[in-house]
Amino acid sequence: MLEVTELPAGQRNAIGVTLGLLGDEWSLLILREALLGADRFVDWRARLPISNAVLTARLNRLTEAGLFLRGNGYRLTERGADVWSILLSIWAWEDRWVASHVERLPGRVHRPCGKPFDPVLVCSACDTPVLAIDHSLEGGFGPSGSWERSVPEATTRRRAADGAPRRPSSDAAFFPQTTALIGNRWSAALVGAAFQGVHRFSDFQRCLNTSPTMVADRIRTLHALGVLADDYRLTAKGLAFFPVVMCLVGWAQRWYRAAEGPALVHRHLPCGTDFVAALDCSSCGDRLVRKDVVPTS
Ligand SMILES: [Zn+2]
Ligand SMILES: [Zn+2]
């Protein structure tokens, strides 16, 4: 049974809460290892170059948020295991678009068809592939949606409380560019705005509601990563990040519900239903489920 967390009216909505929780490289790495079988403190210590203090802080946060159940170790809950589609989308995007990985990422095989594959974002109702540029989704902010409520709170306090740097060392960085995109509240908002078609400086500033200096700084960062082009529109690499965004939105709205209603509402125009993201196998076309995704070295 899905246990949805109710969020109070007027506070951070499902997107803002989710970005605050998952827009963090350590949390993503801990969840990745959990999906690969880690369930004891020593497992993560052995697999990640993470300090006791940082690991404790992150496990506590993820447990408080209902992604782990603490008992004899840490067991992924249904909510925790459900991040697999986000992680799979990130894995595929980093693998395809980020050349600077110290080690190549492992490959992926789809167990039922036995072939290497990429995840393909589809509409869960009609199974049609959905691209950022095909304009098959209509909608935007729902009753609890706004830019202000969709970004996480400032992280200064959390960082200080951890007493350790926010990022893993570079050789452990599995998601270096993903966290540059979603691990900072202004970057995440900028990416969201760009996917809504915003491409003028003044419009970005209106959406983010922050200083021009901050907006310019975030635009520079995303431009340097090759995600935004000279004209501030998303590049092919930026557009290819769409499945990550939609899987994050899907997870957020499966597990968090603001009192007023959803943060984002999209209709899939070809079939007319409310859009819910799903992933298909690029090799056989079947719907991907968590247990059928096998990493290969
Ligand atoms: Zn559809
Ligand atoms: Zn397949």
Side-chain angles (χ1 to χ4, degrees):
M1 196 187 72
L2 304 186
E3 286 181 37
V4 178
T5 300
E6 308 281 348
L7 302 171
Q11 306 288 306
R12 290 280 172 278
N13 62 27
I15 312 292
V17 168
T18 296
L19 285 172
L21 198 61
L22 300 181
D24 172 272
E25 195 165 17
W26 281 128
S27 295
L28 291 173
L29 284 166
I30 289 166
L31 288 163
R32 181 194 68 174
E33 293 305 325
L35 284 163
L36 293 171
D39 61 4
R40 284 160 190 278
F41 197 86
V42 292
D43 295 339
W44 284 288
R45 286 282 286 138
R47 295 171 184 213
L48 299 171
I50 191 169
S51 72
N52 280 330
V54 172
L55 179 57
T56 302
R58 292 301 192 284
L59 284 173
N60 285 344
R61 258 186 93 217
L62 293 168
T63 303
E64 274 167 32
L67 280 75
F68 285 112
L69 199 63
R70 193 164 179 184
N72 193 7
Y74 296 84
R75 195 160 48 81
L76 278 173
T77 60
E78 197 182 337
R79 175 186 305 210
D82 192 37
V83 301
W84 74 273
S85 62
I86 303 171
L87 288 170
L88 178 61
S89 305
I90 291 172
W91 178 8
W93 184 79
E94 293 265 347
D95 191 30
R96 166 73 177 80
W97 294 97
V98 183
S100 59
H101 284 286
V102 175
E103 292 171 51
R104 288 312 304 159
L105 295 176
R108 300 169 294 278
V109 163
H110 185 219
R111 199 192 308 268
C113 73
K115 298 207 177 89
F117 74 97
D118 281 320
V120 178
L121 178 71
V122 298
C123 165
S124 64
C126 71
D127 217 31
T128 310
V130 173
L131 299 172
I133 47 164
D134 67 10
H135 304 294
S136 65
L137 298 182
E138 176 189 74
F141 283 132
S144 69
S146 70
W147 293 105
E148 181 64 29
R149 294 179 63 181
S150 304
V151 294
E153 291 172 61
T155 51
T156 332
R157 195 149 38 98
R158 195 173 83 219
R159 220 176 296 178
D162 287 345
R166 186 167 155 77
R167 286 185 52 100
S169 61
S170 60
D171 61 342
F174 206 77
F175 316 118
Q177 297 200 0
T178 296
T179 37
L181 263 61
I182 62 169
N184 169 287
R185 62 199 302 249
W186 302 125
S187 296
L190 198 68
V191 168
F195 274 113
Q196 290 202 2
V198 171
H199 57 88
R200 287 195 192 86
F201 189 93
S202 56
D203 291 336
F204 279 125
Q205 204 195 331
R206 189 175 42 76
C207 293
L208 271 60
N209 194 21
T210 183
S211 71
T213 316
M214 178 63 82
V215 176
D217 179 70
R218 293 298 104 190
I219 287 177
R220 219 168 14 247
T221 303
L222 296 184
H223 184 265
L225 291 174
V227 166
L228 279 186
D230 292 341
D231 62 359
Y232 297 169
R233 290 177 198 269
L234 289 161
T235 61
K237 177 179 177 177
L239 290 167
F241 198 67
F242 193 55
V244 178
V245 173
M246 295 315 284
C247 286
L248 265 167
V249 169
W251 187 88
Q253 304 204 126
R254 267 194 298 283
W255 298 103
Y256 296 94
R257 186 165 50 213
E260 301 93 334
L264 285 168
V265 180
H266 287 112
R267 178 181 301 277
H268 189 227
L269 294 173
C271 73
T273 60
D274 286 345
F275 177 75
V276 176
L279 298 174
D280 278 0
C281 168
S282 63
S283 286
C284 70
D286 283 355
R287 184 65 48 85
L288 294 172
V289 295
R290 174 166 62 92
K291 290 187 168 57
D292 287 341
V293 175
V294 186
T296 60
S297 45

